[in-house]
Amino acid sequence: LNPSFCGLRESFGTGDRLGIATPAHLQAFKDKDIFPILAQQSVREMSRTERNWQKVLDDAIWGCFEAGYEGPFGADADHVKNIKELKKAVDCGFTMFTIDPSGFIRSDIKKLSKQELNQLYNKISNNREMEKLYLNKSYKIGDQELMFDENSLKEIVLTYSEALNHVVKCYEFLKNYKKDKFDLEISVDETPTVTSPLAHLFIVLELKKKEVDFQNIALHFLGDWQKGIEYIGDVKKFAGEFSLHAILVKSIGGYKLSMHTGSDKFSVYPIFSQKTGGLCHIKTAGTSWLEETKVVAMKNPSLYREVHQFALENFDKDRASYNLTTDLSRIPNIDELTDEQLVDLFKKPDSRQLIHITYGSILSAKDNKGKYIFKDRIYKVLFQYEEEHYRELSNHIRRHLELLKK
């Protein structure tokens, strides 16, 4: 009942915002040769669900005990931005740490004039060393050639160098503080720009040079990656560019590609798995919460109607931290839907995203006496209809996992 090191095995993370989904997740993993990361939550999610690292890990361990599971599993402290949070997660027993250096990644480089770019670049103390290492060096990747010219090198160095310095500090802390093996993931996906193969190459070469032992890297891939819905974009174009990223991984070796916001991206799963040859990790979180809320709609329609109305009222506030194209006008008026039709809302992107991103407001809402308005009643429904809860959730996660093995 302790989480363990995953390494380069194909792996899949199942976030659990309510803390009761692990037995269903384990049903989905049955007979699948994929390493399960059963405890996975980000700092942002914990603040919205009023949980902490210990609670997240305890709930996953209890779920393993309940299900009689004796196999290996991982525990991912996700999107950690500082050493203080890393220390807390280590102290609780987490085995995987996802460093999010997005606060150090510059997003304004493409907007700068050539003069401004040069001024900033000249302030970097080791820029001459960078030039010796990379400038005009050619890298053969598949049937393509990647090369750092003067302009691309300056842009990439300015965009990522501070972020990589932060990653090194976090890694050094983990290496010294956590005495046994751990998985390290570097997340550069929460940036406004797509990570080019050249930027991918630079990031990995720099991390290797600085002797950072990492297992996963999450890039910002081509396309629109929104929460809880299918991939938005040209799948063929994605496959073409992703091939370069996958070849890079195989050429350099020693790490996997990670897909964040992986919930319900069914069209790209086979590409992701096949191109990497299984050297991949996928994270899902909100899709389990959506399945659980769907069960509420099926078994207690009146409660779901309350939740839905509350979500509509809080949507504008909660959408601020997400990249979304949700249009509330496309969501049917639930007063005009029968109880049996409510479940169909979970097949539509806009209504899925409505419930997905308002989870924090829904789960933390209290009345004037300090009593939860929805949380306890949601738990009650899911405990009362545990068999249906586990079936709906395990079937949905299994649909994800089966696409990785095609």
Side-chain angles (χ1 to χ4, degrees):
L1 295 177
N2 282 316
S4 56
F5 177 72
C6 172
L8 297 185
R9 284 174 279 185
E10 188 170 13
S11 51
F12 190 96
T14 51
D16 179 8
R17 288 171 179 169
L18 291 174
I20 58 173
T22 295
H25 290 154
L26 286 168
Q27 286 177 20
F29 280 103
K30 192 176 179 184
D31 303 324
K32 292 289 179 193
D33 185 23
I34 300 173
F35 189 93
I37 309 289
L38 298 174
Q40 172 202 289
Q41 200 132 78
S42 67
V43 177
R44 178 173 68 188
E45 284 173 316
M46 288 194 306
S47 69
R48 295 184 181 189
T49 56
E50 302 175 322
R51 302 174 85 207
N52 55 41
W53 297 123
Q54 193 65 63
K55 177 70 173 158
V56 170
L57 186 52
D58 287 351
D59 286 340
I61 289 171
W62 179 256
C64 291
F65 179 72
E66 179 191 329
Y69 178 70
E70 296 181 344
F73 68 96
D76 178 11
D78 192 19
H79 279 280
V80 180
K81 297 188 178 185
N82 59 59
I83 287 171
K84 182 183 173 185
E85 286 295 339
L86 284 177
K87 182 178 184 299
K88 289 180 187 175
V90 171
D91 290 343
C92 291
F94 277 73
T95 53
M96 177 173 170
F97 305 90
T98 299
I99 309 299
D100 178 356
S102 57
F104 297 89
I105 297 174
R106 294 196 64 139
S107 58
D108 61 339
I109 298 302
K110 291 282 186 188
K111 300 171 189 170
L112 299 177
S113 67
K114 192 168 184 178
Q115 184 182 359
E116 289 169 326
L117 189 76
N118 288 333
Q119 283 174 348
L120 276 176
Y121 180 74
N122 290 333
K123 288 178 184 175
I124 294 176
S125 57
N126 64 337
N127 61 14
R128 294 291 171 255
E129 180 193 334
M130 292 286 192
E131 288 171 7
K132 283 180 186 175
L133 282 171
Y134 300 113
L135 190 58
N136 297 324
K137 293 280 174 65
S138 177
Y139 299 85
K140 184 76 172 167
I141 306 297
D143 58 358
Q144 292 203 32
E145 198 173 291
L146 298 181
M147 191 170 76
F148 293 95
D149 60 26
E150 192 175 327
N151 198 56
S152 63
L153 180 63
K154 286 177 181 178
E155 286 186 0
I156 289 170
V157 167
L158 285 169
T159 300
Y160 295 104
S161 56
E162 280 304 307
L164 293 175
N165 290 339
H166 178 66
V167 168
V168 172
K169 285 177 189 171
C170 292
Y171 172 70
E172 291 296 334
F173 166 76
L174 286 169
K175 189 173 71 168
N176 293 323
Y177 190 69
K178 185 170 174 59
K179 301 307 178 188
D180 46 359
K181 289 179 81 173
F182 61 89
D183 291 289
L184 184 69
E185 177 160 304
I186 316 301
S187 164
V188 295
D189 64 304
E190 293 203 352
T191 57
T193 53
V194 171
T195 313
S196 68
L198 196 61
H200 172 185
L201 178 64
F202 173 79
I203 291 165
V204 171
L205 291 177
E206 281 294 292
L207 290 171
K208 297 277 188 185
K209 186 182 79 180
K210 295 172 191 290
E211 298 183 344
V212 174
D213 183 12
F214 66 100
Q215 283 64 46
N216 302 342
I217 186 164
L219 307 174
H220 182 158
F221 297 114
L222 195 67
D224 197 351
W225 301 78
Q226 296 189 32
K227 304 291 184 182
I229 63 171
E230 180 57 276
Y231 172 79
I232 300 171
D234 186 321
V235 175
K236 283 186 178 178
K237 276 187 182 176
F238 165 79
E241 177 146 322
F242 184 76
S243 293
L244 282 177
H245 289 294
I247 293 167
L248 259 173
V249 174
K250 291 171 185 172
S251 300
I252 299 169
Y255 68 103
K256 300 181 291 187
L257 283 176
S258 184
M259 179 198 293
H260 286 199
T261 314
S263 296
D264 308 281
K265 306 297 183 290
F266 301 116
S267 63
V268 296
Y269 267 38
I271 297 165
F272 206 82
S273 183
Q274 287 164 15
K275 299 283 187 189
T276 60
L279 280 170
C280 64
H281 174 63
I282 291 178
K283 291 195 187 191
T284 66
T287 201
S288 291
W289 155 251
L290 286 171
E291 287 301 299
E292 289 167 326
T293 317
K294 184 179 84 176
V295 173
V296 172
M298 291 162 59
K299 298 300 180 182
N300 190 331
S302 61
L303 172 56
Y304 176 76
R305 290 177 188 276
E306 287 182 56
V307 167
H308 187 98
Q309 186 56 44
F310 181 82
L312 288 171
E313 292 162 8
N314 284 270
F315 179 77
D316 284 340
K317 167 178 68 74
D318 291 342
R319 75 174 300 164
S321 53
Y322 292 97
N323 163 43
L324 298 169
T325 53
T326 315
D327 183 349
L328 297 184
S329 70
R330 293 193 292 244
I331 300 174
N333 182 348
I334 63 164
D335 293 336
E336 296 172 5
L337 299 178
T338 65
D339 286 350
E340 291 72 26
Q341 289 173 319
L342 292 178
V343 73
D344 293 333
L345 291 169
F346 292 86
K347 299 173 184 173
K348 302 176 190 300
D350 297 288
S351 39
R352 283 181 69 80
Q353 289 187 316
L354 168 69
I355 300 300
H356 186 294
I357 69 150
T358 54
Y359 70 92
S361 295
I362 294 165
L363 293 174
S364 61
K366 295 176 183 173
D367 62 20
N368 53 18
K369 294 180 182 176
K371 185 180 177 184
Y372 287 112
I373 299 172
F374 305 111
K375 189 177 187 177
D376 294 337
R377 289 190 288 160
I378 289 170
Y379 276 119
K380 187 176 179 181
V381 172
L382 296 174
F383 290 146
Q384 185 179 352
Y385 297 99
E386 184 177 82
E387 190 178 331
E388 289 90 340
H389 168 209
Y390 288 176
R391 183 184 64 240
E392 293 295 323
L393 183 46
S394 64
N395 285 346
H396 189 65
I397 295 298
R398 196 165 181 85
R399 184 183 171 198
H400 289 70
L401 298 174
E402 285 175 347
L403 285 167
L404 292 176
K405 290 300 184 184
K406 283 199 170 182

